[in-house]
Amino acid sequence: MYPYLYRNQTESVPPGQYKYSNNLPVIMNQLSPNSTMSTEPVFLDHLLMNMGRKIKVVTINEKLEGILTGVAIDHIQLTIDHLNYHIRFQHITYFVGKP
């Protein structure tokens, strides 16, 4: 796994802070995906401020509490008891963390 911090707009992976397999850049370049999605930059920024911290996430289905181990443009990764949950933003109602 490679750490990815969005710093260079020429990267072939979406913006965010997460880890990815070494196959992702190849797949992204081969597929040349073109998609649009609405984003909430302040919400995304607040999540990024909580990287590595324990947060509570309330989804449309349940409440989850774990360590925020990844934030991407379309989902978060919440680690609970050594299991990684990938939660899409549209399923998140709100989260409790700092600030």
Side-chain angles (χ1 to χ4, degrees), residues 7-72:
R7 297 188 201 288
N8 184 349
Q9 292 186 7
T10 61
E11 290 286 334
S12 59
V13 293
Q17 184 174 351
Y18 57 101
K19 293 185 177 187
Y20 63 89
S21 73
N22 58 358
N23 293 328
L24 182 62
V26 174
I27 292 169
M28 294 295 286
N29 284 331
Q30 287 174 348
L31 296 176
S32 297
N34 184 11
S35 63
T36 59
M37 66 177 62
S38 62
T39 59
E40 298 180 49
V42 175
F43 188 74
L44 184 67
D45 189 47
H46 285 187
L47 280 164
L48 285 168
M49 286 189 242
N50 284 277
M51 278 296 297
R53 294 183 177 161
K54 186 177 231 181
I55 66 169
K56 293 179 186 176
V57 176
V58 177
T59 70
I60 57 176
N61 295 320
E62 61 186 320
K63 296 178 186 177
L64 301 167
E65 186 171 344
I67 304 296
L68 182 62
T69 52
V71 177

